[in-house]
Amino acid sequence: MSVAVVLFTSDLRLYDQPALGAALRGADEVVPLFVQDRGVAGAGFDAPNRRAFLADCLASLDAGLRERGGRLVVRTGEVVDEVCRVVAGCGAQQVHVAAGVSGYAAHREERLRAALAGVRCALHVHDAVVTAVPPGRVTPAGKDHFAVFTPFLRKWEAAGVRDTGKAPRAVRVPDTVGSEPLPSRAAVAGTSPALARGGEHEARARLRGWLADGVEAYGEGQDDLSGDATSRLSPYLHFGCLSAAEAVRRARAEEGPGADAFVRQLAWREFHYQVLAARPAASWTDYRPRGDRWRADEREITAWREGRTGYPVVDAAMRQLRHEGWMHNRGRLLTASFLAKTLYVDWRVGARHFLDLLVDGDIANNQLNWQWVAGTGTDTRPNRLLNPLAQARRFDPSGDYVRRWVPELAGLAGAAVHQPWTAPG
């Protein structure tokens, strides 16, 4: 009886799951394994919002497996050690895992490969599981990655997206492999009050609803703060509850300017992934150092974090982040610009705060978007500044977004809410 292990990481789904599909084709029994990695907590990335969302994702994955005769095996510890314990316990000949893009993921893969070689167990790493196109496939001549989005987009679109697969009909798991209890969302303290529900079932329902009712108007409404016309699929893509390849394919099938704009945003996600895969140090160091001498006024930083800067649109976005564990993309850009360009605070301070709260807190997209705003990233326009008042008038012209999140200004009508200091006393 042959046995394979599937190590789930950022691919917590059954639909279009290449690693699981390969394991099922190559073995009689499969151990679907998730390791609660102590290294993630030790590095400070185990934020409450993501931990609670992860619990939902694992519960959904386990439920899907049980519908197919299987179950999810959960362990806690150092990933390589726990994988090797499971391999030894069930006599597995293969381990399957999705390729990652971070330096942490690359190092984990190296250690896992070395450890498994010592027990004659093969490691199979699968590309295009967390991305629609493998990062290394889209490169310019003579270089290992694109530093400019537009040429990347052209080549990414020309590369094509692999065929997507269905969920397996059956998953047979060895009875001898034990599991810890699934983590519970209810056991996580300090989460945002309106944190979204996680898991593959929720992800697929949101994708269906978005393609049916939202994507058509996305091209013209994606930056409308009060309209909230975005897909809100980023947390599900981050945890891999939703396949990026499937999202691209299904959006393209819808056609039209809204679908095109949505696919373009998915391509931005992949652009940052290929940059980080080639330059892992960009997670915390400047991609293009500018010699900035950042300020560090703790009172200003605290006011920014708490949504008390006095600029209503900035404060509204920061309060949305704290309440939902999510923020509108336009809000992310303008709040980041305010901190890094207006207050001239090191972008890493803002990136760390975002990672503390964002349920979709993603090293590639969070850090590299922050660098784009700060002028130290791939962008060649380091002096770009997003004026908060101009941004407010353009993207919240009615003032409804501000009135929702800054209720103390609810009495100010229309665009007057953006400049409360001009209101009659």
Side-chain angles (χ1 to χ4, degrees):
M1 184 76 71
S2 59
V3 181
V5 173
V6 179
L7 176 61
F8 286 86
T9 54
S10 299
D11 53 343
L12 305 178
R13 63 179 186 270
L14 297 179
Y15 285 84
D16 190 39
Q17 178 38 287
L20 177 60
L24 289 169
R25 290 191 297 272
D28 300 310
E29 294 182 324
V30 170
V31 180
L33 173 66
F34 182 84
V35 179
Q36 299 183 96
D37 187 358
R38 288 186 177 138
V40 173
F45 295 114
D46 193 25
N49 283 341
R50 289 194 297 282
R51 192 160 70 248
F53 196 90
L54 171 63
D56 291 344
C57 296
L58 296 179
S60 178
L61 181 58
D62 180 65
L65 287 165
R66 289 183 183 277
E67 289 173 0
R68 293 160 174 83
R71 59 192 169 90
L72 181 64
V73 173
V74 176
R75 299 289 177 89
T76 300
E78 200 283 321
V79 173
V80 174
D81 292 344
E82 294 304 321
V83 170
C84 288
R85 287 191 183 97
V86 171
V87 166
C90 66
Q93 299 87 36
Q94 307 170 23
V95 172
H96 296 261
V97 66
V101 299
S102 68
Y104 186 87
H107 184 51
R108 179 182 62 202
E109 180 185 320
E110 291 172 3
R111 293 185 296 110
L112 189 56
R113 189 180 301 279
L116 293 176
V119 294
R120 297 184 179 181
C121 181
L123 177 66
H124 300 278
V125 180
H126 299 268
D127 288 329
V129 179
V130 299
T131 58
V133 178
R137 184 183 298 171
V138 183
T139 56
K143 297 182 179 179
D144 59 1
H145 72 289
F146 279 98
V148 180
F149 176 70
T150 301
F152 167 83
L153 177 63
R154 287 195 294 266
K155 194 159 186 177
W156 180 83
E157 289 179 326
V161 176
R162 62 170 174 77
D163 292 336
T164 55
K166 298 180 180 179
R169 294 183 177 179
V171 179
R172 183 176 178 182
V173 180
D175 295 335
T176 55
V177 180
S179 174
E180 299 172 8
L182 292 173
S184 167
R185 178 187 178 113
V188 182
T191 59
S192 293
L195 182 67
R197 179 69 55 180
E200 183 175 20
H201 179 79
E202 182 71 19
R204 299 191 68 77
R206 284 178 180 256
L207 178 63
R208 286 193 300 271
W210 166 247
L211 294 177
D213 299 324
V215 74
E216 184 177 356
Y218 181 69
E220 56 194 40
Q222 61 181 305
D223 284 316
D224 180 359
L225 286 165
S226 63
D228 196 11
T230 64
S231 70
R232 289 187 176 248
L233 290 172
S234 55
Y236 305 95
L237 289 165
H238 172 67
F239 282 90
C241 306
L242 182 65
S243 158
E246 182 182 5
V248 170
R249 279 189 166 275
R250 291 183 63 178
R252 283 177 173 166
E254 296 296 317
E255 300 182 337
D260 291 344
F262 178 58
V263 171
R264 183 181 176 88
Q265 291 303 309
L266 294 173
W268 266 109
R269 174 181 184 266
E270 308 237 329
F271 172 74
H272 288 144
Y273 272 48
Q274 59 97 35
V275 172
L276 188 65
R279 298 287 186 273
S283 60
W284 286 108
T285 61
D286 293 327
Y287 183 90
R288 299 182 193 271
R290 305 289 184 185
D292 290 289
R293 297 183 178 181
W294 305 107
R295 297 173 62 251
D297 187 316
E298 289 301 325
R299 292 176 300 174
E300 291 180 343
I301 293 170
T302 298
W304 177 82
R305 287 173 176 150
E306 296 177 355
R308 296 186 293 101
T309 67
Y311 284 84
V313 73
V314 173
D315 295 343
M318 295 304 293
R319 295 184 193 188
Q320 180 185 26
L321 171 62
R322 188 167 295 278
H323 186 74
E324 296 186 354
W326 184 90
M327 189 196 294
H328 192 289
N329 182 59
R330 177 53 54 176
R332 300 187 197 205
L333 292 175
L334 69 91
T335 56
S337 179
F338 186 84
L339 185 73
K341 289 299 191 181
T342 303
L343 301 181
Y344 200 38
V345 171
D346 192 332
W347 64 267
R348 281 160 281 249
V349 173
R352 176 73 267 174
H353 180 69
F354 271 29
L355 285 177
D356 286 343
L357 291 173
L358 283 173
V359 67
D360 61 10
D362 182 289
I363 288 294
N365 285 285
N366 186 62
Q367 312 303 85
L368 291 172
N369 271 316
W370 266 96
Q371 290 204 50
W372 183 89
V373 170
T376 67
T378 57
D379 186 48
T380 56
R381 294 174 57 191
N383 297 320
R384 179 191 287 107
L385 186 148
L386 302 181
N387 182 293
L389 294 180
Q391 292 280 302
R393 288 192 291 267
R394 183 176 178 184
F395 300 115
D396 186 30
S398 65
D400 290 341
Y401 180 72
V402 166
R403 276 186 289 276
R404 176 181 178 186
W405 294 109
V406 190
E408 61 266 34
L409 300 179
L412 295 178
V417 76
H418 297 306
Q419 294 176 273
W421 52 85
T422 65

